[in-house]
Amino acid sequence: MKYTLPPLPYPYDALEPYIDARTMEIHHTKHHQTYVDKLNAALEKHPELFEKPLEELLRDPAQVPEDIRQAVINHGGGHYNHSLFWMIMGPPSTGSLQGPEGPSGPRMAGQANAGGEPSGALAQEINQKWGSFEKFKEQFTNTALNIFGSGWAWLDIYQGKLKICTTANQNSILMENKKPILGLDMWEHSWYLLRQNRKNEYVDAWWNVVNWKEVESRYKNV
Ligand code: MN3
C-alpha cells in the first residue's frame, strides 16, 4: 500500500503562538508530503517493499536494494520522523486554544495540557538520570542547538535506558537500534518563517507544546 500523509491531530493554528499556523501548514502539506511522495516513488521500483513495515526498512536499510536505499533512508526517515513529530506536540495548556464550542466549551479530548512536565515513570527516570526535569531540558536544548546543519534531537530508549541523541538529515534513529519517544525537528523550515535565525527561540517555545501524555505512552510501550 502506498504511503499517505497522515492528518495532523490538531488544526494548523493549534500550536500558536509558539509555532505559527503558516509554518505548520507548509511543514505538513509541503515538506512532509514531499517525503511521502518521494518514498512512494522510490518503493515503486521495488513494490514488494510496500508490504514491509517502514520501521523494519529503517531499522535495517541493508535489506533495501541499493538503487533506492538512500532514498528510503532520506524520505522514509522523513516520513517516519515527521509522523512522530506531529504526535508528540499538542495545543499548549495556556494560550489561545479553545474547545470546539468556544472559550467556555470543553477542550478536545487528548489535545489539552501540552507543555509542562512529564509525570509517572518517565518523570522518575528523567529525574534519576539528569537530576531534574530542568536539567534534562537544558541538556536537550543545548544538544538540539549544537546540531550543525539539518537534523533532529531525540529523547530515546537505548538498551533499556533513556538517552539524548541527535541524527543528521532525516536519518532515523531506528538504524541505531534506538527507540524514539520525543523528537525535535531542527531543520530551518521548522522555524525560519516566524523566527529567521533565532533558532534558540524556537526551541524554547517548543517546550510549551510538547505532548507529554503521548511521550509517556511511547515510553510505556517499549
Ligand atoms: Mn521538517
Side-chain angles (χ1 to χ4, degrees):
M1 262 240 304
K2 278 196 169 194
Y3 289 92
T4 53
L5 184 68
L8 283 193
Y10 39 76
Y12 289 122
D13 64 359
L15 308 186
E16 299 255 15
Y18 303 107
I19 302 181
D20 59 297
R22 182 90 176 114
T23 296
M24 287 300 291
E25 185 172 3
I26 295 172
H27 202 167
H28 182 244
T29 62
K30 306 291 183 198
H31 292 279
H32 190 172
Q33 181 71 59
T34 301
Y35 295 122
V36 170
D37 294 344
K38 291 190 171 177
L39 173 62
N40 284 330
L43 293 179
E44 267 157 23
K45 295 176 186 158
H46 300 276
E48 70 281 5
L49 294 179
F50 279 116
E51 307 308 317
K52 291 205 174 185
L54 182 58
E55 281 96 340
E56 203 181 309
L57 302 180
L58 293 174
R59 204 169 284 131
D60 179 22
Q63 66 184 300
V64 177
E66 211 180 339
D67 63 321
I68 65 163
R69 191 175 300 150
Q70 195 59 46
V72 169
I73 290 171
N74 293 348
H75 305 296
H79 175 44
Y80 184 85
N81 292 341
H82 286 85
S83 299
L84 180 144
F85 188 50
W86 310 134
M87 294 302 294
I88 59 85
M89 296 192 291
S93 51
T94 54
S96 58
L97 177 76
Q98 291 163 0
E101 290 158 36
S104 58
R107 288 169 182 276
M108 284 148 90
Q111 290 202 349
N113 300 323
E117 299 189 12
S119 59
L122 175 60
Q124 267 179 14
E125 192 179 340
I126 286 176
N127 288 337
Q128 252 167 27
K129 186 168 171 72
W130 285 281
S132 67
F133 177 70
E134 282 310 312
K135 285 185 187 151
F136 156 75
K137 204 170 140 179
E138 191 183 313
Q139 187 168 337
F140 189 98
T141 297
N142 289 337
T143 302
L145 291 174
N146 281 324
I147 294 172
F148 184 74
S150 297
W152 289 73
W154 301 101
L155 176 63
D156 63 277
I157 294 165
Y158 180 62
Q159 296 181 338
K161 304 266 187 215
L162 283 177
K163 304 265 183 208
I164 293 171
C165 76
T166 65
T167 51
N169 305 314
Q170 293 295 352
N171 291 354
S172 170
I173 66 169
L174 296 175
M175 281 195 269
E176 302 167 20
N177 267 317
K178 296 169 178 169
K179 171 168 167 128
I181 64 168
L182 174 71
L184 175 56
D185 189 340
M186 291 303 292
W187 285 54
E188 272 188 355
H189 62 228
S190 311
W191 72 80
Y192 205 84
L193 268 183
L194 184 64
R195 304 183 188 277
Q196 294 79 50
N197 61 314
R198 303 183 305 277
K199 74 174 164 184
N200 58 318
E201 281 184 16
Y202 160 70
V203 177
D204 288 345
W206 174 76
W207 291 107
N208 293 289
V209 295
V210 173
N211 179 353
W212 286 108
K213 286 282 159 264
E214 175 67 21
V215 180
E216 283 164 25
S217 94
R218 286 165 192 260
Y219 174 77
K220 280 183 208 140
N221 291 324
V222 172

